[in-house]
């Protein structure tokens, strides 16, 4: 059984003080939630502090990016080893904003994914088509290229590879207030799982697939109610304690009804 996973992507929001304020309330709001992994990915400047504040809570720590080398002359970069040492468990790789604004291509994403897995971090690999690609019915083609671009010829045993998390994030749905429908997202999640089956039959059933793009507490169940969708990557709705806790409680209550 795949455990549900809800991940907050704070992007470039919250100073360390604001992050601390969030952590004064949020753990209390989700106390008693079980059966759902809850992850927060703050900016790098709040990682160490959140690692401390998350002690004795059920929350886990994620990073929004990393370099693929363990160390070296890469000014301004953060390595997977550095993340691992401070208690980071997950790392978002290949977010569409990094592809768009920082030139990340499939080759870079391949290196980052491999490095994360090798260092014992769980990559949350983001995949998604833009509106033009959807309009011209190229969604599957684009996703296949992104998925195999990131994972092909990856020199790892399936045991390590099955830790990976995929996040289907249609670019047109991110931060727009216009999510995909539950059916659209489920169709793509099913397609991604079928691609995994083609190449790595043993791991396809274990890999968690998230949906991301304008998810909130009102619409989350449309996605998590689908058989191939195991949770969500949440941007805007993760910034306020009450809205993020409300979203998580909605998923928790689904499991109980
Ligand atoms: C994201 O950036 O990963 C995301 C899903 O953002 P939002 O929830 O704001 O659409």
């Amino acid at each position: 059984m795949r455990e549900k996973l809800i991940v907050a992507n704070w992007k470039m929001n919250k100073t360390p003080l604001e992050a601390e304020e969030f952590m004064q309330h949020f753990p209390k709001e989700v106390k008693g939630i079980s059966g759902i992994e809850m992850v927060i990915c703050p900016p790098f400047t709040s990682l160490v502090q959140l690692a401390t504040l998350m002690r004795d809570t059920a929350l886990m720590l994620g990073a929004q990016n990393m370099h693929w080398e363990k160390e070296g002359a890469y000014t301004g970069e953060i390595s997977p080893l550095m993340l691992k040492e401070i208690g980071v468990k997950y790392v978002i790789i290949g977010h569409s904003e990094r592809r768009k604004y920082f030139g990340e291509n499939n080759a870079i994403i391949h290196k980052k994914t491999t490095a994360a897995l090798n260092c014992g971090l769980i990559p949350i690999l983001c995949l998604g088509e833009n509106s033009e690609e959807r309009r011209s019915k190229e969604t599957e083609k684009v996703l296949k290229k992104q998925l195999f671009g990131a994972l092909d010829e990856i020199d790892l045993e399936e045991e390590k590879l099955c830790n990976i998390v995929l996040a289907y994030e249609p670019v047109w749905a991110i931060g727009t207030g216009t999510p995909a429908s539950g059916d659209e997202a489920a169709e793509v999640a099913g397609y991604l799982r079928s691609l995994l089956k083609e190449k790595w039959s043993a791991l396809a059933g274990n890999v968690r697939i998230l949906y991301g793009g304008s998810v909130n507490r009102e619409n989350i169940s449309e996605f998590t109610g689908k058989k191939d969708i195991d949770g969500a990557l949440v941007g805007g709705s993760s910034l306020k304690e009450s809205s993020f806790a409300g979203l998580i409680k909605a998923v928790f209550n689904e499991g109980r009804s």
Side-chain angles (χ1 to χ4, degrees):
M1 248 277 276
R2 301 184 298 264
E3 191 173 24
K4 288 264 187 288
L5 172 64
I6 304 289
V7 183
N9 175 15
W10 283 355
K11 311 192 187 193
M12 197 173 71
N13 293 295
K14 293 195 192 294
T15 65
L17 259 184
E18 289 166 341
E20 191 173 332
E21 265 167 36
F22 181 98
M23 286 301 291
Q24 273 164 12
H25 308 286
F26 185 71
K28 286 182 215 136
E29 299 220 24
V30 293
K31 206 164 180 219
I33 299 278
S34 58
I36 302 173
E37 259 193 282
M38 300 173 277
V39 179
I40 297 180
C41 305
F44 285 129
T45 46
S46 293
L47 280 173
V48 171
Q49 169 203 27
L50 253 67
T52 308
L53 295 171
M54 281 179 177
R55 245 178 248 151
D56 304 323
T57 76
L59 303 174
M60 313 255 190
L61 195 56
Q64 297 176 20
N65 182 31
M66 53 165 242
H67 196 271
W68 58 86
E69 292 291 348
K70 291 183 176 148
E71 61 185 4
Y74 299 99
T75 302
E77 293 290 329
I78 306 278
S79 88
L81 279 189
M82 295 168 186
L83 297 176
K84 183 84 183 151
E85 189 175 309
I86 59 172
V88 167
K89 183 170 178 195
Y90 288 87
V91 58
I92 299 173
I93 305 274
H95 191 281
S96 64
E97 287 152 15
R98 295 219 53 91
R99 293 180 194 252
K100 180 173 172 194
Y101 301 123
F102 303 99
E104 286 199 9
N105 57 27
N106 288 336
I108 292 175
I109 291 163
H110 183 280
K111 285 199 250 188
K112 291 188 175 189
T113 307
T114 312
L117 288 165
N118 270 327
C119 287
L121 294 169
I122 300 178
I124 300 171
L125 174 63
C126 299
L127 315 158
E129 81 288 2
N130 63 32
S131 50
E132 182 49 43
E133 290 160 344
R134 174 155 281 261
R135 225 173 293 126
S136 48
K137 305 205 180 318
E138 287 181 307
T139 300
E140 291 193 351
K141 187 174 127 200
V142 170
L143 291 175
K144 187 173 189 174
K145 198 163 166 205
Q146 290 177 345
L147 181 71
F148 291 159
L151 300 185
D152 244 4
E153 290 168 29
I154 212 159
D155 190 18
L156 286 172
E157 321 83 79
E158 291 208 349
E159 209 177 289
K160 255 190 188 171
L161 199 53
C162 77
N163 282 325
I164 197 169
V165 172
L166 303 184
Y168 169 54
E169 294 215 306
V171 179
W172 47 270
I174 296 178
T176 59
T178 308
S181 70
D183 287 342
E184 282 169 335
E187 191 182 337
V188 173
Y191 174 67
L192 289 173
R193 210 174 289 288
S194 74
L195 289 179
L196 289 173
K197 254 185 218 143
E198 249 177 53
K199 286 256 180 182
W200 304 278
S201 53
L203 70 90
N206 297 330
V207 169
R208 287 180 290 179
I209 301 179
L210 311 181
Y211 167 75
S214 298
V215 174
N216 56 40
R217 68 163 99 177
E218 275 82 39
N219 64 24
I220 180 70
S221 299
E222 260 192 62
F223 304 103
T224 46
K226 305 290 185 192
K227 84 170 168 34
D228 280 311
I229 302 181
D230 305 300
L233 181 54
V234 187
S237 294
S238 71
L239 293 172
K240 272 185 76 181
E241 301 87 314
S242 55
S243 57
F244 193 44
L247 185 154
I248 290 169
K249 282 176 199 162
V251 179
F252 181 62
N253 289 331
E254 265 168 44
R256 295 157 64 85
S257 58

